[in-house]
Amino acid sequence: MQFESALSDPDRLFLAEVRAFIDAELDAALIEADDDQRAFFGDFARSNRWLEKLRPRRWHVAHWPKAYGGAGLNALQNYLLLYEQGLRGAPFVRPLGLNYVGPTVIKFGSEAQKAALLPRIINGDDHWCQGFSETGAGSDLANVATFAERRGDAYVINGAKIWTTDAQHANKIFCLVRTRRENTKDALSFVLVDMDSPGITVAPIRLLAGDHELNQVFFDDVEIAPEQLLGPEGDGWAVSKYLLEIERGAFVFGGRLRRRLARVITAAKEQQASSRFWDNVARLDIDLMAYECTELRLGHLDNGRGDALGTANMIKIEWSEIVQRIDELTLMLAGARTLYASPTPRDQVYGENGEIDMPGWLASYFNNRAATIYGGSNEIQRNLIYRNLRRTWR
Ligand SMILES: Cc1cc2nc3c(=O)[nH]c(=O)nc-3n(C[C@H](O)[C@H](O)[C@H](O)COP(=O)(O)OP(=O)(O)OC[C@H]3O[C@@H](n4cnc5c(N)ncnc54)[C@H](O)[C@@H]3O)c2cc1C
C-alpha cells in the first residue's frame, strides 16, 4: 500500500489488526467469488457471508458514529479497512443500506426514523434499493415523474422506476418523487417505502451477460404515511444530492483495482505479452497510483465529502475509467478465447439463474461498460466539476 511507511503508530497497529482479521476470516471460496464477480455487486449470498464476518466488530458500519451503532473509525482507518479488503479479494459488501441510506438517515432523519431504521440496517434486517432513475429522468434526475399525491393522512404514489439494482432482494426502497406538479426542485421529496406495500411490482432486466442485477419497479396507488418522508416535503433534492455524493465518492476502490491489475500482470507475464501491451500496463499503473493518492488524500481524509472541489465526482470518473481500461487489457490477453465465448444468440448457454455461460472476466467486462454510466454518467460528473470550480473562480 502506498504511504504505508508514513502511517502513525496507532494507524499502523490498526492496519495490522485488519490484516490479521482478513487472514483469519477470508476463505478461498470468498476470494474466488470476488475474482469471478460477473456484476458490480456480485453474488448476494456471498456478499452477505462476508458481511456477517465484519458484523461482530461493527466493521460493516465502520464509519458510522458510535452513537448510532457504528464503529466510529476515523476516515483514514475506514480507508485502510476498505482498501485492504479490496486488495485481498473480499466480496463487495452491498452499500445501499449501510453506506447510502444509513448515513442519509443519520443526517436528515427524525429521532423516530433513526430509532426505527438504523438498527435494522446494522442488523441486516432490511435490504435497500435505490429508486431514483426513470425512463425520462436519468442524467436529468430532477425531471422524475413518479408522483406522491397527498390524500388525507397518506401519500399515494404512482409511477415507475428503472435500473433499480437489487430490487429483487430488497424489502425497502428509497425514492425521489414529485409531491407537486410544478417543474421546480422544491416540488421533489424523498420517500422511504416498504417493497411489500400493496401496488408495488418488480420486473427483471437482464444484463448483456444474462445476469439479473437490475429491475424496473412499478408503483400503482402505493400508500405511504407522511412519516415515510425523509426530510420535509419539498426537500427531496437536497437529501438526494447528499446521498449521491456519498454514492460517487465514499467508496474505496484502490485496493480492488490494484488486485485486478495484478491479475492482468501475472497473465501478461505468462503469455509473454508484447512491449506495446506493457506500455499500456505502465500507463495504467501510473494512473492507478494517482487515483490511489486522490482517493486517500481528498476522498477519505475528507470522508468522501470534498464537495467544493468536486472530489466525489472526480473519484467516480477515475475509478470507472480505470476499471474499464483493466478490462480492456484482460480482453486483449484473452484474444481468440473471447470470440469463442461470444454472447451472440448462436452461442448462448444459460446457467440455472438465466446468466449466459461465459468466463467471469468477460461477464465483468460487459457489466463494467456501465460503470461510466451508473451513479450519474461521467459526462455529468465532468459538468459538475466544472460547475463547482466555476464557483471558486468567482
Ligand atoms: C448497471 C446500472 C445500474 C444502475 N442502478 C441504478 C439504481 O440502483 N437506481 C437508480 O435509480 N438508477 C440506477 N441506474 C441508472 C443510472 O443512474 C442512469 O443510467 C444514469 O444516471 C444515466 O441516465 P440515463 O440512463 O437515463 O441516460 P441519459 O440521461 O439519457 O444520458 C444518455 C447519454 O447522454 C449524456 N448526457 C445526458 N445529459 C448530458 C449533459 N447535460 N451533458 C453531457 N452529456 C449528457 C449522458 O452522459 C449519457 O452518455 C443504473 C444504471 C446502470 C447502467
Side-chain angles (χ1 to χ4, degrees):
M1 174 186 295
Q2 289 194 69
F3 313 116
E4 197 170 326
S5 57
L7 292 177
S8 68
D9 285 344
D11 289 332
R12 212 188 306 256
L13 271 179
F14 177 75
L15 183 58
E17 186 188 341
V18 169
R19 286 177 174 160
F21 165 80
I22 294 176
D23 286 343
E25 299 292 349
L26 186 63
D27 56 58
L30 285 171
I31 295 175
E32 193 184 326
D34 187 65
D35 285 344
D36 280 343
Q37 188 168 314
R38 297 170 59 98
F40 180 58
F41 281 2
D43 180 75
F44 188 67
R46 286 201 182 106
S47 162
N48 287 333
R49 196 153 82 73
W50 179 240
L51 173 68
E52 287 313 317
K53 292 177 185 273
L54 295 168
R55 197 189 301 283
R57 294 170 183 252
R58 306 255 149 176
W59 279 358
H60 63 314
V61 278
H63 56 305
W64 287 28
K66 283 189 175 159
Y68 295 114
L73 295 190
N74 66 37
L76 179 59
Q77 289 174 332
N78 188 42
Y79 171 85
L80 296 174
L81 177 61
L82 294 172
Y83 187 96
E84 282 297 306
Q85 287 180 61
L87 187 67
R88 297 285 296 277
F92 186 69
V93 172
R94 284 167 151 69
L96 287 145
L98 300 167
N99 291 333
Y100 298 179
V101 81
T104 310
V105 168
I106 291 174
K107 170 102 176 151
F108 293 97
S110 64
E111 289 312 311
Q113 284 173 324
K114 288 177 193 170
L117 297 170
L118 299 179
R120 290 183 62 82
I121 294 175
I122 291 181
N123 297 333
D125 299 325
D126 288 339
H127 290 284
W128 285 84
C129 61
Q130 178 184 51
F132 279 179
S133 306
E134 300 180 6
T135 47
S139 301
D140 187 9
L141 183 59
N143 197 36
V144 289
T146 296
F147 197 75
E149 184 184 5
R150 185 76 195 236
R151 286 192 209 155
D153 283 344
Y155 287 89
V156 179
I157 307 177
N158 281 286
K161 297 291 178 178
I162 194 165
W163 315 124
T164 321
T165 307
D166 260 8
Q168 76 273 30
H169 300 303
N171 64 328
K172 301 263 188 190
I173 183 168
F174 56 87
C175 298
L176 183 66
V177 296
R178 191 163 289 286
T179 35
R180 292 204 325 269
R181 297 281 174 203
E182 292 88 333
N183 191 16
T184 53
K185 294 207 169 118
D186 63 2
L188 301 171
S189 299
F190 194 103
V191 296
L192 309 169
V193 186
D194 292 328
M195 289 292 279
D196 62 2
S197 311
I200 292 191
T201 44
V202 177
I205 300 173
R206 291 271 166 201
L207 302 178
L208 258 179
D211 299 271
H212 178 198
E213 192 176 51
L214 302 182
N215 302 275
Q216 205 164 359
V217 181
F218 298 94
F219 295 78
D220 192 6
D221 282 336
V222 176
E223 245 185 68
I224 61 163
E227 296 74 45
Q228 287 172 260
L229 258 67
L230 185 62
E233 186 184 311
D235 268 10
W237 188 247
V239 180
S240 302
K241 267 178 43 181
Y242 182 84
L243 186 143
L244 276 171
E245 206 158 292
I246 300 175
E247 176 174 354
R248 291 165 184 162
F251 284 115
V252 174
F253 282 119
R256 208 163 286 278
L257 293 171
R258 235 334 117 210
R259 179 180 182 83
R260 289 179 90 112
L261 184 59
R263 292 177 78 199
V264 169
I265 290 172
T266 305
K269 280 183 188 158
E270 280 166 9
Q271 293 189 25
Q272 300 184 351
S274 67
S275 53
R276 182 145 177 251
F277 187 90
W278 284 111
D279 185 42
N280 282 328
V281 171
R283 283 165 201 271
L284 194 46
D285 192 18
I286 292 165
D287 289 346
L288 178 51
M289 233 181 267
Y291 171 75
E292 288 171 312
C293 294
T294 310
E295 202 177 63
L296 176 63
R297 185 172 64 86
L298 293 175
H300 297 283
L301 295 180
D302 194 18
N303 273 328
R305 292 198 44 74
D307 352 17
L309 288 174
T311 313
N313 315 105
M314 210 189 299
I315 283 178
K316 202 273 154 168
I317 293 172
E318 279 303 308
W319 79 256
S320 58
E321 293 185 358
I322 288 174
V323 80
Q324 291 184 348
R325 285 166 64 196
I326 295 176
D327 281 349
E328 277 152 22
L329 291 184
T330 311
L331 208 65
M332 281 163 76
L333 282 177
R337 286 191 292 127
T338 313
L339 297 176
Y340 174 73
S342 157
T344 58
R346 185 168 46 85
D347 292 334
Q348 277 176 10
V349 184
Y350 289 96
E352 60 184 52
N353 296 317
E355 73 278 12
I356 298 169
D357 188 15
M358 64 173 78
W361 57 264
L362 185 54
S364 164
Y365 169 85
F366 287 126
N367 189 258
N368 284 334
R369 303 314 297 161
T372 45
I373 299 173
Y374 52 65
S377 77
N378 286 13
E379 289 79 11
I380 295 301
Q381 304 312 308
R382 289 188 164 91
N383 287 351
L384 291 171
I385 288 172
Y386 170 70
R387 206 181 297 166
N388 276 328
L389 283 175
R390 203 177 49 179
R391 232 180 275 148
T392 66
W393 294 335
R394 283 208 183 112

